[in-house]
Amino acid sequence: MMSNSAGPLALSSSSAQPEPTPALEELYAGFEEQSLVPLWTEIGDLMPESPRPAARAHRWEWARLLELARTSGDVVPIGRGGERRAIALSNPGLGGAPFATPTLWAAIQYLNPGEDAPVHRHTQHAFRFVVEGEGVWTVVDDDPVAMRRGDLLLTAGWRFHGHHNSSDRPMAWLDGLDIPFSHYVGTTFFEFGPAEVSTREAPARSRSELLWGHAGLRPAAATATADASGSSLAAYRWEHTDAALTDQLSLEDGGHPGTLEPGHAAVRFVDPQTGGDVLPTIRAEMHRVRAGVSTSARREVGSSVWQVFQGVGEVRVGDRAWVVSHGDLVVVPSWHHWQVVADTELDLFRFSDAPVMEAVQAWRSEVGGLVP
Amino acid sequence: MMSNSAGPLALSSSSAQPEPTPALEELYAGFEEQSLVPLWTEIGDLMPESPRPAARAHRWEWARLLELARTSGDVVPIGRGGERRAIALSNPGLGGAPFATPTLWAAIQYLNPGEDAPVHRHTQHAFRFVVEGEGVWTVVDDDPVAMRRGDLLLTAGWRFHGHHNSSDRPMAWLDGLDIPFSHYVGTTFFEFGPAEVSTREAPARSRSELLWGHAGLRPAAATATADASGSSLAAYRWEHTDAALTDQLSLEDGGHPGTLEPGHAAVRFVDPQTGGDVLPTIRAEMHRVRAGVSTSARREVGSSVWQVFQGVGEVRVGDRAWVVSHGDLVVVPSWHHWQVVADTELDLFRFSDAPVMEAVQAWRSEVGGLVP
Amino acid sequence: MMSNSAGPLALSSSSAQPEPTPALEELYAGFEEQSLVPLWTEIGDLMPESPRPAARAHRWEWARLLELARTSGDVVPIGRGGERRAIALSNPGLGGAPFATPTLWAAIQYLNPGEDAPVHRHTQHAFRFVVEGEGVWTVVDDDPVAMRRGDLLLTAGWRFHGHHNSSDRPMAWLDGLDIPFSHYVGTTFFEFGPAEVSTREAPARSRSELLWGHAGLRPAAATATADASGSSLAAYRWEHTDAALTDQLSLEDGGHPGTLEPGHAAVRFVDPQTGGDVLPTIRAEMHRVRAGVSTSARREVGSSVWQVFQGVGEVRVGDRAWVVSHGDLVVVPSWHHWQVVADTELDLFRFSDAPVMEAVQAWRSEVGGLVP
Amino acid sequence: MMSNSAGPLALSSSSAQPEPTPALEELYAGFEEQSLVPLWTEIGDLMPESPRPAARAHRWEWARLLELARTSGDVVPIGRGGERRAIALSNPGLGGAPFATPTLWAAIQYLNPGEDAPVHRHTQHAFRFVVEGEGVWTVVDDDPVAMRRGDLLLTAGWRFHGHHNSSDRPMAWLDGLDIPFSHYVGTTFFEFGPAEVSTREAPARSRSELLWGHAGLRPAAATATADASGSSLAAYRWEHTDAALTDQLSLEDGGHPGTLEPGHAAVRFVDPQTGGDVLPTIRAEMHRVRAGVSTSARREVGSSVWQVFQGVGEVRVGDRAWVVSHGDLVVVPSWHHWQVVADTELDLFRFSDAPVMEAVQAWRSEVGGLVP
């Protein structure tokens, strides 16, 4: 379907350009003076046969990230103005911007014992994924949400939120946001809240979990229409995610459908109120690959970031490949093949801009094909 | 909004009729001959100021139902042709039809030890609610679903299903279907399956629960679009329903929103894939009213059936009132006020035709108002 | 898919009944005393292999209807109480009720020169289709809507409306409503308005047409969300319907897709704001069959009413067939085959309960098959 | 709602930075080595209180554009490789890229008599708006669509399309696409078709107009579900747009609602099949402002491009203002106020990325407020 029968022919920038003449030069000068650019010199870059993103496949090692985050914890104070001690992945193809991909922000955030990350809100949508540790509560619109290993915690756009570390140990986690996307299209609003979170309560379950954390059970008091700006549930606990993956593999053991492909279980985190993605701009998933299994090569329109939660294996993206383990992060640019090879049982968290791609009818995907 | 400024004026059938003359008589004879009926003689019945359903508020005592079901278990064999040993509530206002309301079927079904209810499928949507007992498995499209006290089990339309009692005791439960509605509008298809269910496996959890029973976690392998003809989850277990109600009341104890009104917790059973109702024509809910609490009087367009799950109290419908306890069933016709007064903590299951009312934009409801 | 492999086997009412014994008789007496009915005696009627509606295929001749309507115009006054001089089709299978089908009301309404049909509103959804004549304005929420030959005029639920005949000739037209459906499920509210319409203005186009009658052009001032309770456009004019049918046939002449089948053009009337049906409970269509063409036999779940607008031909429904011409009405019960044979070019208006069938996921249809 | 109580406080980049020390320098060097960037140095740019787009308000004069396009017509050949003789607006704030805004492409395209723009397809969504002239047919998936003054013509993504000029005069028009957006997020696919269009037929109406160009009339043969990737209607003719605007102003003259505000009529071009925007990523509108009227100042999240169709007036954007007339183009960056002051009756075409903003729940707008 994507095949191009035109064969050797190529879109401009190159050979198909008009002959350089004084008249052409004068024309181009006129363009420049009038803030104009012709299509025919740019079409090769703007209209490739298939996506040719500037972003590159890349891997970051968690150990190195964590080390730098710890140093930041010593050197960089936290408070109003800087707001967060967060260090972002900067894709080598994106000119030094703090963007993991053109649409996604991924950062390690670090909070020392007793510290507070001050309260603010912004239209950017955010989540936290906890690869290790516990002891921090993120307080979202006054609802304290415990952060524990393996949990996915949401802060949908325009909710006031701050964090406090109630424990006696520092804690680091992954922040994911749509900062690059909203920065590019110009949708960002921001507002300060108090310097400290409104409550030091530290319950095991947030109020959103008490209300929405029961499969297939909607509070009758909920208004009829869902707020499409983010999930009703603020916390997705590891014990439930783990159980869902385990159940998928047990279905497979019984000969029943359920896994994504043999040896490869996966769940998408969704809003229990609608079944839709947890955030309007971000899809989040957890994958489990059995030891010894190689997943099919797949590619999708749009970009994603993976983080290894537990286990050891190899992640291949386009023509790159890395041995990965606990906490390592890998970026997959648009339309790049990806494949996971599990040495041990391998659990991987993934987030992507798929909801944006789907919302604008740009979604395409392929299973199979070659990965070098 | 519903007030009628016209005061004493009333719609026809009555005073506003034309004078009886020979010409009118001849006209009416012409109507009859041509299969015609004038609006002006019928408008009072067809266009009341507010719904005036033929169905009546009524209560059935579980003890009497169960007794008759047991006798049926002795006297009436089960098998192909009769298909099910089910005894339906027949609303006293509906002329002897086996209809609890114009849209809803409610029956007690009874299965002796070792018996099979043969496999068939039909376009009518069905559920079972288990007020007591266990030991039967309903096998839905080859997926064996255990039936235990407090559980809601679904059989959405056009799924093959049969039941078998693997235990050494008889079991009775509530069947709810949209038989009256589909009979009236003419949408019923039916097909026989095998005389016995395809599997005697008796797992604690159905395959649908392994796949869909995790709050906010959608199998990544699920096709993008939901099948709107019924929930992806076949079983809603009592321990989860109970926990959700308990959590709502604990939110209330903490001063937070969550319950429907003070002392009155309620959940709607929904499809985890969409957040919508479990069946296209039936809404199901569980309510818990604290001991000593009287709920507000409410009324809705459309009809519903309540079954007491546990506790003792009073249910008021329109100008009727009954003391109710374990298993008792009460029918609420369209636009009739209902109110629950709990002597002990009172758990009530309810199902209604609300999805139909909403689908055709006919939904209206009121909270408050007088109940005699 | 609908085939039933069970062959000779039949669902109960009949042979599969338990042996009549004193114990069974006593049981049945207990059922009756407790307002209960067993499934096994009723299943044959309630769960047929395919829909077996009580409503029958039937035809009404317009000439006879019109004659009786004229006599009513002489004999029956119009005004508050009786509200409308409307005479309804009464399906011979529905026990004398003024129902064309279980869900649809179809009536001829008649208004003498200078008469007013008083203002009221009701939750039932209504339309008028004008098979001949003009001179009446229906005033819907103060917007005067001219009624002319070939037009479809809407009065969605809960809009105040009245009619006045500004001309010096009587006028008759077809009223279509969902009265039987809303009566059955109990959703009817009614309220009186003034005895006369609020305006005697008689513009050629209603305000709704000025705002919404431009294909693909939505008023920017319209609120973002459509009111799903009925179309934004109150009038569908014959000249546009005619042009759309003509254009479909000209596409066919050019070898391009567009018609429903060769020689059979058809349009569905839709809300320009959503593309959905004009009323939540009623679908309306206009069909044009070329002279000499026989349409395929088709059947659908749900019922419909046809009215010949112009031309001569034969309409077949189930095992019935009638020669039809201008104004004749034919009822098609659920799952009955229908087929049109055009002697001259034949234009037919049709309305059905298809939106209800689709809303509850009960829609099925078949093209082809035998019509006797 | 957008007010910021924090007053003098400002987000980083500035004062709130940590003290420069050797340890900090070493940390920053570690970040750079590991492809990392801290949030605290960038937050001021990434999280402004309200959108601070890089794109600037700007105006292009049609006369100058047309002159350069004519010269291009002499100097630059058209054909395979360059594909189109299109000259794009390059926003002065976007570093020389051929982007009118971060999401929108706007170009003048020019075709000499007898020329062909070769057939291709791409996932980018496109439209043409004809500010003057006629004589070109755009052939979209083999359907020839005449281009005439005032018309909006669509080429939704992945439809093969080419243009041919059948007349003896050159023709220029406005091309609008989502090239910058799809380039940024990486969704672009492209495929060559034949060097010439498949048909030289030049009908007055396209086949899509024959099928879909009738308000409120859906072809019964259309499949149930709309293709969300673009409107079913390929051409929106000026005579209809003009009539709709005229009708809105006549409603206003009669004292009825309809216009956007006094003296300001506006329509949104929509898919007749769904009522939604014509393209998944682009909203198109036509505005008419009465002579002497100043519109309210408005601002929206997301960017737009205006083109004057006829009349003379002033367009104000943020702190800029330009006298504009026939064909002039103005860009409005995100959250910039815009206001139109009409000297004569003024018709303006507008397109924007509003569907993207709505799809990701980022839409905000304000009416009123100050424009300098």
Side-chain angles (χ1 to χ4, degrees), chain A residues 246 248-256 290:
Chain A
T246 301
Q248 272 189 23
L249 291 172
S250 100
L251 279 167
E252 183 175 285
D253 289 337
H256 303 298
R290 288 188 202 264

Side-chain angles (χ1 to χ4, degrees), chain B residues 1-3 6 9 12 34-37 39 49-51 60 64 80 86 88 90 102 184 186 188-192 334, chain C residues 2-3 6 9 12 34-37 39 49-51 60 64 80-81 86 88 90 102 184 186 188-192 334:
Chain B
M1 180 187 181
M2 233 47 13
S3 77
L9 195 57
S12 102
Q34 293 292 321
S35 294
L36 298 169
V37 173
L39 173 63
E49 285 179 34
S50 61
W60 287 259
R64 288 294 294 136
R80 190 88 298 166
S90 172
Y184 185 75
T188 47
F189 293 85
F190 181 93
E191 197 169 87
F192 289 114
S334 185
Chain C
M2 233 48 10
S3 77
L9 195 57
S12 101
Q34 293 292 322
S35 294
L36 299 169
V37 174
L39 173 62
E49 286 178 34
S50 61
W60 287 259
R64 287 294 294 136
R80 189 90 296 166
S90 172
Y184 185 76
T188 47
F189 294 84
F190 181 94
E191 197 169 86
F192 289 114
S334 186

Side-chain angles (χ1 to χ4, degrees), chain D:
Chain D
M1 180 186 182
M2 233 45 15
S3 76
N4 188 325
S5 57
L9 194 59
L11 280 167
S12 100
S13 318
S14 52
S15 50
Q17 294 306 309
E19 286 297 301
T21 62
L24 189 71
E25 267 176 49
E26 192 184 346
L27 178 67
Y28 284 7
F31 289 165
E32 194 167 348
E33 187 204 306
Q34 293 292 321
S35 294
L36 298 169
V37 174
L39 174 62
W40 58 85
T41 63
E42 310 297 322
I43 191 170
D45 176 46
L46 295 177
M47 294 192 155
E49 286 179 34
S50 62
R52 265 197 333 237
R56 294 193 210 137
H58 197 74
R59 188 266 327 254
W60 287 259
E61 291 176 83
W62 182 246
R64 288 294 293 136
L65 280 179
L66 195 55
E67 192 185 315
L68 289 162
R70 278 188 194 123
T71 307
S72 301
D74 296 335
V75 174
V76 180
I78 188 158
R80 188 90 298 165
E83 301 292 304
R84 299 289 183 265
R85 192 185 290 113
I87 308 157
L89 309 190
S90 172
N91 191 294
L94 296 176
F99 299 166
T101 81
T103 53
L104 300 172
W105 167 278
I108 183 171
Q109 187 173 156
Y110 193 86
L111 209 55
N112 282 314
E115 280 189 337
D116 270 77
V119 177
H120 60 214
R121 65 175 178 177
H122 40 70
T123 48
Q124 291 98 334
H125 301 286
F127 71 82
R128 339 260 155 229
F129 176 69
V130 183
V131 80
E132 63 191 22
E134 63 182 75
V136 169
W137 267 256
T138 179
V139 182
V140 181
D141 277 346
D142 298 327
D143 187 10
V145 183
M147 296 174 61
R148 291 186 294 258
R149 182 178 168 278
D151 293 349
L152 173 73
L153 302 320
L154 302 181
T155 313
W158 215 235
R159 267 88 160 169
F160 278 113
H161 60 284
H163 318 303
H164 70 100
N165 188 342
S166 308
S167 77
D168 55 2
R169 279 172 304 178
M171 186 174 165
W173 63 85
L174 176 71
D175 274 353
L177 291 97
D178 60 3
I179 289 176
F181 177 75
S182 53
H183 182 255
Y184 185 75
V185 298
T187 62
T188 48
F189 293 85
F190 181 94
E191 198 170 87
F192 290 114
E196 297 190 1
V197 296
S198 57
T199 173
R200 298 277 156 177
E201 285 179 72
R205 289 191 293 161
S206 63
R207 299 202 301 267
S208 88
E209 292 166 87
L210 295 177
L211 207 49
W212 288 101
H214 306 277
L217 298 171
R218 175 192 171 91
T223 51
T225 53
D227 174 357
S229 74
S231 176
S232 320
L233 185 61
Y236 296 74
R237 300 296 173 192
W238 172 243
E239 58 263 33
H240 303 142
T241 309
D242 183 37
L245 295 169
T246 301
D247 282 350
Q248 273 191 22
L249 291 172
S250 98
L251 279 167
E252 183 176 286
D253 289 336
H256 302 298
T259 56
L260 198 51
E261 58 186 330
H264 181 184
V267 290
R268 182 189 300 175
F269 299 94
V270 294
D271 181 354
Q273 190 162 11
T274 64
D277 280 298
V278 284
L279 296 169
T281 49
I282 297 179
R283 173 164 299 166
E285 301 166 341
M286 184 69 72
H287 292 247
R288 173 167 294 170
V289 185
R290 287 188 203 262
V293 166
S294 290
T295 71
S296 298
R298 291 166 189 264
R299 57 178 173 174
E300 296 99 13
V301 160
S303 52
S304 60
V305 179
W306 292 81
Q307 184 172 33
V308 176
F309 178 57
Q310 50 192 6
V312 176
E314 192 180 69
V315 171
R316 300 170 185 166
V317 182
D319 57 0
R320 307 291 305 273
W322 301 275
V323 172
V324 292
S325 61
H326 175 72
D328 291 351
L329 291 140
V330 174
V331 158
V332 182
S334 185
W335 209 236
H336 279 49
H337 283 101
W338 60 265
Q339 186 178 31
V340 174
V341 182
D343 294 333
T344 67
E345 185 177 82
L346 193 56
D347 287 349
L348 304 106
F349 172 77
R350 179 201 204 188
F351 69 105
S352 74
D353 58 11
V356 178
M357 300 301 105
E358 290 183 353
V360 299
Q361 310 292 331
W363 178 254
R364 286 193 190 191
S365 66
E366 266 184 13
V367 180
L370 292 183
V371 176

